[in-house]
Amino acid sequence: MHIAIAGNIGSGKTTLTKMLAKRYGWTPRFEPVDNNPYLADFYADMKRWSFNLQIYFLNKRFKEVVEIAQSKETIIQDRTIFEDARIFAPNLHGQGMMSDRDFQNYTDLFDLMMSLVKLPDLMIYIRSTIPNLVAQIQKRGRDYEQTIQLDYLQGLNNRYEEWIAGYKGNLIIVDGDTCKFGEDHDAFKQVTDMIDAKLYGLFPME
């Protein structure tokens, strides 16, 4: 199976990916952040580096999707190819940080890739408000993230909500503001109970 976790920057995707991988014995696939050659440059000058960054992510994510499809293991993935193309790239384009020409080029490439990709078996979306995202971003203390603008985060949040509203696959929504799964065992159990019901029916796994 392919399980995917979606959510804005700072929503807790990586934390939940690690916890669910341990809980179910799934194989985690993490977002390529630490070794990303464009990320720091992007946050310093979004307009200059937006296309480069999005192509980098699209390349990495498509490679992951192909590998996941060929794997016999159950994979849990931290962020998906759909978020890059339906949220991050359109948000940059909408804010004037990516040119029409680059966005059309990017979109054409994504659409070609999507002809070869199917939806995950389960999508877990962590919904979070801007104040909660900001608190989480500050808490983890990545230097290049401290310059993120609030309007950028809000634009992403708006597009996440639009995307999720029209999502056609198997979906669970976790309230990241109130469900503190990383700190509270009962909150984490709420998440796993929802997953068990979706994947395994009425009776949760012991």
Side-chain angles (χ1 to χ4, degrees):
M1 284 191 296
H2 176 196
I3 316 298
I5 300 185
N8 206 341
I9 301 164
S11 60
K13 296 182 304 300
T14 301
T15 297
L16 188 56
T17 299
K18 290 176 180 177
M19 294 177 73
L20 292 176
K22 182 178 180 181
R23 164 70 174 79
Y24 291 98
W26 295 338
T27 301
R29 299 292 295 262
F30 296 104
E31 186 177 16
V33 170
D34 292 338
N35 298 319
N36 188 319
Y38 293 105
L39 209 53
D41 288 331
F42 166 73
Y43 283 125
D45 187 349
M46 288 186 176
K47 195 165 188 175
R48 164 64 183 86
W49 294 102
S50 63
F51 181 72
N52 306 69
L53 178 72
Q54 291 306 130
I55 289 295
Y56 173 84
F57 274 130
L58 193 62
N59 175 34
K60 293 291 185 182
R61 218 83 74 182
F62 185 66
K63 182 181 178 184
E64 275 194 336
V65 166
V66 172
E67 290 173 354
I68 289 169
Q70 294 172 346
S71 175
K72 290 179 168 50
E73 300 177 305
T74 293
I75 307 289
I76 181 162
Q77 184 185 24
D78 175 357
R79 184 164 280 151
T80 68
I81 193 170
F82 306 101
E83 291 162 84
D84 289 313
R86 299 301 182 218
I87 293 152
F88 284 84
N91 188 57
L92 288 165
H93 178 244
Q95 292 190 334
M97 300 295 180
M98 186 184 292
S99 70
D100 292 344
R101 178 179 60 180
D102 285 347
F103 183 63
Q104 186 60 57
N105 188 7
Y106 175 90
T107 302
D108 287 348
L109 180 58
F110 172 76
D111 288 343
L112 176 62
M113 290 176 171
M114 284 305 93
S115 66
L116 305 170
V117 172
K118 66 175 187 174
L119 293 176
D121 297 289
L122 177 63
M123 180 74 73
I124 303 169
Y125 170 52
I126 306 174
R127 173 179 281 146
S128 186
T129 61
I130 298 301
N132 189 56
L133 294 174
V134 170
Q136 293 287 93
I137 289 168
Q138 290 175 339
K139 183 178 177 181
R140 68 187 182 191
R142 292 174 182 162
D143 289 341
Y144 55 80
E145 290 183 342
Q146 304 310 308
T147 58
I148 296 176
Q149 300 295 312
L150 290 180
D151 62 343
Y152 176 68
L153 281 179
Q154 186 61 62
L156 293 175
N157 247 17
N158 294 342
R159 292 184 185 275
Y160 265 107
E161 290 301 320
E162 292 170 9
W163 173 60
I164 287 298
Y167 187 75
K168 303 300 184 186
N170 208 10
L171 176 68
I172 286 172
I173 298 177
V174 176
D175 186 334
D177 284 20
T178 60
C179 184
K180 299 297 183 182
F181 48 80
E183 307 163 8
D184 181 355
H185 174 76
D186 290 338
F188 180 58
K189 188 175 185 302
Q190 290 175 17
V191 177
T192 59
D193 283 351
M194 288 192 289
I195 292 170
D196 291 341
K198 280 283 186 183
L199 294 181
Y200 308 112
L202 296 175
F203 303 100
M205 292 176 65
E206 295 299 328

